[in-house]
Amino acid sequence: MRRLGVVGLTALDLVDGRPPRVGGAVYYAARVLRFLGHSAVLATKFAERDRAIVAPLFRLGIPVETGPASSTISFRIDNEPGGRRMAIESLGDPW
């Protein structure tokens, strides 16, 4: 089986006023690939000050290559009766 590469920003999700948690396409793709047992490598960026929050990404056991960033993209997600409201809280560094 060939190794799959996943490239993108790691995000911080601010859900319903709770503390930030790791999110973003790279994180969720890594979870699925691990579940499927597919060989992969990740390439992502996030601010070093957020390393503790994104630690679950590294614990998945998939190799992660990181690049420097001055800020991490973050999303505010508010679940409300009848729907969900989402907003970009911080843009983060471009890729």
Side-chain angles (χ1 to χ4, degrees):
M1 178 176 3
R2 291 187 172 192
R3 181 181 284 191
L4 179 66
V6 179
V7 179
L9 297 173
T10 299
L12 302 180
D13 289 342
L14 310 164
V15 181
D16 294 330
R18 292 190 297 267
R21 66 183 188 200
V22 65
V26 168
Y27 175 66
Y28 291 109
R31 289 183 60 185
V32 169
L33 291 166
R34 180 175 177 238
F35 176 78
L36 295 174
H38 200 291
S39 180
V41 62
L42 312 173
T44 191
K45 291 171 71 170
F46 58 86
E48 186 61 33
R49 68 178 170 273
D50 298 320
R51 184 169 286 277
I53 298 168
V54 303
L57 176 67
F58 295 94
R59 290 195 295 265
L60 291 172
I62 295 175
V64 180
E65 297 292 330
T66 62
S70 61
S71 63
T72 304
I73 190 167
S74 63
F75 298 93
R76 179 161 304 285
I77 303 164
D78 295 309
N79 294 298
E80 302 170 345
R84 170 184 281 187
R85 183 179 303 176
M86 297 178 68
I88 297 173
E89 191 76 9
S90 171
L91 286 177
D93 284 2
W95 189 257

